[in-house]
Amino acid sequence: MRQGSEELSAFFDGESQIDVKQVSNDQAAVAKWSRYQLLRDHLQGETLDGYDSGLVDKIAAALDDEPVILNRFSKRQWIKQNLVNIAKQSSQFAVAASVAAAMIIGVQQYNYQPAQELLSAPTVAGPQGGLSPVSLSTSRTIPQQDVQQVMAQRKRINALLLDHQEQRQRKADQQDEQTAADK
Amino acid sequence: MQKVIIAFIFLLSAANAVAQDVVSHSNSALELLQRQAQTLRTLNFQQSFYVYYPPREPQSYLWQRGVDTSGQQMELVFKLNGNPEPKFRVNDEVIHQAQDAPPYRLQQGLLNGPLPFALLYQPSQIARSYDMMLIGKARISGREALQLRLTSKDASRYGYTVWLDAESLLLLKLDMLNLNGELLKQIQVTNTQLFNQPLASLLQYAEKVPQASLRMQQENSPAHQWRVQRLPLGMREIKRDKHRLPVVGDIVDYILLSDGMVDVSIYLRPLTSDSLAEVALSDHSESFINRHINGQVITVIGEIPLATAEQLALEVVHRQ
């Protein structure tokens, strides 16, 4: 009987059988099980309750259209300025929900070199292995290094959003005397 | 002069009556919800409902609830479109199922979404964070309904309007609103069926599914020394651990906060040259803040206003 994460992964892909009882005695394997499940759902495009890949798509689109003029403010000033504007436009803690679509306040990267002209759609190798069409207007392609950086950023945001949903699902209770009184 | 005094006394008593009325209505709201919680545990029913996050397409669900002769509580929620992704609770255990994989079960007294189960089963917990008011009556889903308003006590979180069936006290509708009164999320029940006994399908599920599931425990991992200095009123730290993120595998220090209505995740990791950039994102209801503070990358995610998420990031400190 094989054990370990490779075997778990293979079983998960339907490639082999596994003794569930034996696995359940191995807490580390069980924990990995849960993560593989989540990863599988993600790769197959399944969504968790409440998690909408539309948010990530919007983020990805916004990162593609990353604003260019950043060198007039320091990063911190830029964020603060925009957050303050939002707070002023809507009272107190009313939020960017007043904006119809997903609102991007700013994406700032260390060592970012602002482009002098409009950037075209990045030449990104998508899941199908193809390239995105390049705009016919005056443009230049983003250097490969920047493309990889944008992709890495998207992946991180995606991973954080996924993890947030998993943690919520597995949340333990907040029981105490007061809530017990509701019974 | 006498008339002035009489008028003044009249005004005072009128104001007092209004104040008393307000107090009685807020007491009524919590009492109503508590009565609802007690009733809920005795009922067998099925409700179909949808969850709507404007402008996305609504997601439809079915909620089946029952209690058998031994007092065993059973609850099943699943999607009506696409993969059902059922979540099933038997007493204090929740069985999670994903497509093409065996189910696993966790020690949890409540399902976590898509309905506000903490509000329905533990309203006293919610009352820590939200003022509750009984507003009046309305007609919802063809039923006479009692309308309640939940308002964040410290204006740090979104507000809710809740409608309960006047007869059964079952939930009929819930709106989550920002301070401008704009709709961020809506849950609307479209059909309710009450039964004298638990559904046969529910009993079968309770008999078979837990046995076929893997029992999982929350992982014990080394705790970290981060904490949130000032929490929004009524919000509590539910969990802290160190774990790996899915897909990218980054190790993060993690804190989960909750007030029963919303859950907020806080992630910390050291700042490096390829860390996620500082960013503030909002998709109507959910906020995502990523900040670089004192050599740490701090991410805050939750259905809270951006300003609250930003404030939480700034409140994270290292315990001495």
Side-chain angles (χ1 to χ4, degrees):
Chain A
M1 177 66 211
R2 295 179 299 162
Q3 294 290 330
S5 59
E6 284 181 7
E7 296 73 29
L8 211 57
S9 180
F11 169 69
F12 209 82
D13 291 335
E15 291 169 12
S16 72
Q17 295 297 313
I18 201 167
D19 185 332
V20 169
K21 283 181 190 162
Q22 287 225 13
V23 170
S24 68
N25 290 331
D26 180 350
Q27 287 299 323
V30 166
K32 281 190 181 117
W33 183 281
S34 169
R35 286 197 289 275
Y36 284 136
Q37 204 159 286
L38 186 64
L39 173 58
R40 185 195 178 112
D41 287 351
H42 167 69
L43 289 173
Q44 289 180 343
E46 296 296 327
T47 59
L48 298 168
D49 286 350
Y51 168 61
D52 184 356
S53 60
L55 170 61
V56 177
D57 292 338
K58 285 174 189 169
I59 295 163
L63 285 170
D64 285 340
D65 302 329
E66 187 174 355
V68 173
I69 311 298
L70 299 176
N71 51 7
R72 281 193 292 158
F73 299 96
S74 74
K75 288 179 285 297
R76 199 158 291 264
Q77 280 174 330
W78 202 89
I79 284 192
K80 270 197 175 150
Q81 185 60 42
N82 279 276
L83 283 173
V84 164
N85 286 342
I86 290 158
K88 280 177 182 170
Q89 285 161 16
S90 43
S91 58
Q92 292 194 349
F93 293 101
V95 79
S98 59
V99 178
M103 190 180 79
I104 311 300
I105 299 208
V107 177
Q108 300 183 347
Q109 302 200 10
Y110 287 102
N111 305 318
Y112 179 80
Q113 301 299 321
Q116 297 307 311
E117 58 208 52
L118 275 177
L119 300 174
S120 69
T123 53
V124 174
Q128 292 78 27
L131 300 178
S132 312
V134 176
S135 167
L136 291 176
S137 59
T138 308
S139 64
R140 65 173 179 80
T141 54
I142 301 175
Q144 188 61 25
Q145 190 187 358
D146 287 349
V147 166
Q148 285 171 355
Q149 202 172 13
V150 168
M151 292 298 291
Q153 306 273 298
R154 287 184 207 173
K155 221 172 148 186
R156 281 209 166 87
I157 292 174
N158 195 358
L160 286 158
L161 289 169
L162 271 174
D163 191 77
H164 171 63
Q165 293 305 326
E166 186 192 4
Q167 298 299 329
R168 289 189 60 219
Q169 279 200 52
R170 299 175 52 167
K171 184 178 76 167
D173 300 330
Q174 323 180 50
Q175 289 284 353
D176 57 27
E177 288 172 8
Q178 194 166 16
T179 56
D182 290 331
K183 289 190 175 169
Chain B
M1 184 60 185
Q2 248 185 348
K3 284 185 186 171
V4 170
I5 293 171
I6 291 168
F8 185 62
I9 292 171
F10 178 76
L11 267 175
L12 263 184
S13 58
N16 193 43
V18 168
Q20 288 292 336
D21 212 36
V22 166
V23 167
S24 70
H25 275 134
S26 64
N27 286 343
S28 302
L30 180 56
E31 280 168 8
L32 195 66
L33 284 165
Q34 285 168 334
R35 202 153 41 96
Q36 177 275 145
Q38 283 161 358
T39 310
L40 187 60
R41 287 180 171 86
T42 66
L43 291 177
N44 297 293
F45 63 83
Q46 172 171 283
Q47 279 190 321
S48 55
F49 64 94
Y50 66 75
V51 180
Y52 175 48
Y53 286 94
R56 301 178 216 159
E57 193 181 320
Q59 176 70 255
S60 295
Y61 294 85
L62 195 67
W63 178 26
Q64 293 176 334
R65 216 215 85 90
V67 52
D68 68 11
T69 48
S70 70
Q72 175 173 262
Q73 299 278 327
M74 297 162 289
E75 198 156 51
L76 174 64
V77 176
F78 57 93
K79 291 181 181 176
L80 290 171
N81 297 336
N83 179 14
E85 294 177 26
K87 284 196 276 194
F88 185 63
R89 180 174 68 88
V90 180
N91 289 334
D92 286 345
E93 279 196 329
V94 172
I95 294 95
H96 299 265
Q97 280 185 285
Q99 197 181 20
D100 301 332
Y104 65 95
R105 61 188 198 275
L106 288 175
Q107 189 81 23
Q108 289 174 300
L110 292 175
L111 294 178
N112 194 31
L115 291 167
F117 287 108
L119 176 67
L120 300 179
Y121 284 103
Q122 299 168 357
S124 301
Q125 179 202 139
I126 309 303
R128 290 195 195 109
S129 303
Y130 299 88
D131 289 324
M132 299 174 168
M133 281 291 248
L134 183 59
I135 303 296
K137 288 186 178 173
R139 184 171 174 273
I140 300 289
S141 294
R143 304 278 302 170
E144 189 185 359
L146 301 169
Q147 183 174 345
L148 294 85
R149 184 95 177 98
L150 274 59
T151 312
S152 170
K153 285 185 170 175
D154 57 1
S156 66
R157 281 148 286 176
Y158 298 127
Y160 301 86
T161 307
V162 178
W163 291 264
L164 303 178
D165 187 300
E167 193 179 320
S168 65
L169 297 183
L170 287 174
L171 178 73
L172 288 178
K173 190 175 172 186
L174 176 140
D175 283 347
M176 184 169 86
L177 309 161
N178 65 12
L179 282 179
N180 288 338
E182 290 159 329
L183 184 68
L184 302 177
K185 174 169 81 174
Q186 182 173 87
I187 297 170
Q188 165 113 26
V189 168
T190 48
N191 184 258
T192 303
Q193 291 174 283
L194 285 156
F195 308 109
N196 291 328
Q197 55 200 8
L199 286 162
S201 56
L202 212 54
L203 289 167
Q204 273 176 5
Y205 220 88
E207 194 184 341
K208 291 187 180 161
V209 170
Q211 276 74 26
S213 61
L214 289 171
R215 184 108 208 284
M216 285 183 60
Q217 289 171 2
Q218 303 287 354
E219 292 174 49
N220 289 328
S221 66
H224 53 78
Q225 297 304 312
W226 300 105
R227 66 181 179 92
V228 181
Q229 212 166 12
R230 278 181 306 172
L231 288 168
L233 200 58
M235 198 160 249
R236 293 173 151 193
E237 184 183 297
I238 303 300
K239 182 181 179 181
R240 57 172 44 234
D241 73 5
K242 195 187 281 280
H243 66 264
R244 281 192 187 276
L245 294 178
V247 184
V248 295
D250 296 356
I251 296 177
V252 292
D253 290 339
Y254 176 76
I255 298 174
L256 177 63
L257 306 174
S258 183
D259 65 3
M261 294 299 286
V262 293
D263 303 318
V264 179
S265 288
I266 302 178
Y267 297 87
L268 293 110
R269 52 263 185 239
L271 180 61
T272 62
S273 56
D274 63 348
S275 287
L276 180 64
E278 288 195 294
V279 65
L281 304 166
S282 170
D283 191 13
H284 304 280
S285 58
E286 189 153 76
S287 292
F288 180 108
I289 286 268
N290 196 64
R291 293 296 308 275
H292 300 171
I293 303 174
N294 297 329
Q296 289 286 318
V297 182
I298 304 178
T299 311
V300 180
I301 306 174
E303 279 187 354
I304 51 175
L306 265 176
T308 305
E310 169 83 5
Q311 190 60 32
L312 281 170
L314 296 171
E315 292 283 351
V316 176
V317 295
H318 201 263
R319 279 199 258 228
Q320 297 304 323

